[in-house]
Amino acid sequence: MTLTLTFWGTRGSVPAPGASTAYYGGNTPCVEVRTSTNALLILDAGTGIRHLGRQLLESARDKPIVAEILLSHTHWDHIQGLPFFAPLFQEGHEFTIRGAPEALSGIEHALRAQMAQAVFPVSFDAYRAKVHFRALGEVEHGEGYALTTHPLRHPGGATGYRITGGNPGAPALVYISDNELGHAEGYASAPEWRDALASFARGASLLVHDAMYSAEEYERHRGWGHSRYEDVVDLALDAGVQRLVLFHHHPERSDSALSEWVAACQQRVREKGGRLDVRAATEGTTLTV
Ligand SMILES: [Zn+2]
Ligand SMILES: [Zn+2]
């Protein structure tokens, strides 16, 4: 049972359109996941979801669109595309917004607040599609997929997702956006947190992970909730994943700089004697798990 994922938004923090980011993309996080039964999961609702919405409407041809929208957390870059997701404004479609149980009421509050009149002309209640909010259980079994979660180290908290195509032994996609692998004060996580995270990602066919900083940049942003790419490569090697996709690119990172990072990551893998395919998330690209 395979999964396919398509990157609609790869950029962290704020949209970064322009000539220097055109290749890897300037939209904030949104990943489309399709199961072998064509069920639709949408990971995060950054500005990339606007393009996904247009494509869904074109291919639906008046049939209902049904999807689960899994939010890692409610920082702007992960929810700001939702008011521009056109299927929400049409009757007949149905969306279930999912999040960790402890985060769900905060998610609904944030999604409504970003459409308050002071900051947006149209209220959340203007949506014509059916919208549900539902907490994620420990293990979720949906149509053609199984899903588990893991808490991440990020100010205010965030959730990582492990998705397999139906049974637990099937190849896994692990999505970890907005996570700080380096040491910083202020997180309540236990010392064994890093080992638990490696177990969560163990043997994944594909790991998508926040890689926002270089080592030098990280020293100026410790505690901001993001990772330097060296730590991400090390996690992927420790977890024995097959493919690593750098994600949540810094808005100032040019395409050429990002390509150099991919080469540096591949070099690190060779130096450590590991086997790992490394690439950077590219808007519009589809991968199969
Ligand atoms: Zn983010
Ligand atoms: Zn965040």
Side-chain angles (χ1 to χ4, degrees):
M1 301 281 267
T2 56
L3 300 169
T4 58
L5 71 161
T6 302
F7 292 98
W8 295 92
T10 62
R11 193 67 50 175
S13 302
V14 71
S20 69
T21 57
Y23 180 73
Y24 290 107
N27 280 296
T28 49
C30 180
V31 178
E32 173 188 8
V33 177
R34 290 277 180 181
T35 70
S36 56
T37 55
N38 211 33
L40 171 59
L41 302 171
I42 300 170
L43 308 180
D44 281 329
T47 59
I49 202 171
R50 183 171 66 90
H51 300 285
L52 169 60
R54 194 172 55 216
Q55 191 264 333
L56 289 173
L57 288 173
E58 278 169 16
S59 55
R61 304 232 180 97
D62 299 329
K63 290 205 194 75
I65 300 165
V66 178
E68 306 220 356
I69 301 174
L70 307 170
L71 298 177
S72 60
H73 64 314
T74 54
H75 285 164
W76 277 341
D77 49 326
H78 300 259
I79 63 170
Q80 66 194 165
L82 210 58
F84 303 94
F85 184 53
L88 280 169
F89 292 92
Q90 294 186 2
E91 278 180 41
H93 308 309
E94 189 163 356
F95 299 95
T96 306
I97 295 169
R98 315 290 308 266
E102 65 279 10
L104 199 68
S105 67
I107 287 173
E108 179 165 4
H109 174 78
L111 296 186
R112 288 181 175 279
Q114 76 165 346
M115 297 177 81
Q117 208 168 50
V119 291
F120 202 73
V122 180
S123 88
F124 188 92
D125 296 318
Y127 289 153
R128 289 285 160 263
K130 278 197 191 122
V131 180
H132 314 282
F133 289 88
R134 199 146 65 88
L136 289 161
E138 210 160 288
V139 183
E140 288 282 335
H141 292 279
E143 201 190 309
Y145 73 91
L147 182 149
T148 52
T149 64
H150 198 276
L152 304 179
R153 285 207 299 198
H154 194 63
T159 303
Y161 296 105
R162 182 184 178 106
I163 306 168
T164 61
N167 61 70
L173 154 69
V174 176
Y175 175 82
I176 298 178
S177 188
D178 296 53
N179 184 45
E180 182 159 359
L181 290 169
H183 178 73
E185 303 294 330
Y187 294 120
S189 49
E192 60 273 16
W193 174 85
R194 167 68 165 64
D195 291 343
L197 187 70
S199 298
F200 179 69
R202 178 87 54 221
S205 171
L206 194 67
L207 169 64
V208 177
H209 198 293
D210 174 321
M212 205 162 171
Y213 296 134
S214 67
E216 184 262 326
E217 289 166 342
Y218 179 67
E219 290 313 317
R220 285 180 277 122
H221 299 95
R222 212 175 261 276
W224 286 39
H226 301 287
S227 294
R228 57 195 157 200
Y229 65 79
E230 292 92 336
D231 289 342
V232 179
V233 169
D234 293 354
L235 175 76
L237 289 172
D238 289 351
V241 311
Q242 292 169 23
R243 287 173 290 169
L244 169 64
V245 179
L246 309 180
F247 190 67
H248 204 275
H249 311 314
H250 195 289
E252 302 296 330
R253 192 86 52 223
S254 68
D255 289 333
S256 57
L258 208 40
S259 294
E260 283 171 22
W261 277 22
V262 172
C265 289
Q266 289 163 339
Q267 176 67 21
R268 189 175 181 86
V269 171
R270 282 193 293 275
E271 283 167 9
K272 297 203 154 208
R275 281 172 67 86
L276 176 67
D277 179 85
V278 185
R279 63 185 74 188
T282 308
E283 204 173 297
T285 297
T286 297
L287 300 173
T288 302
V289 173

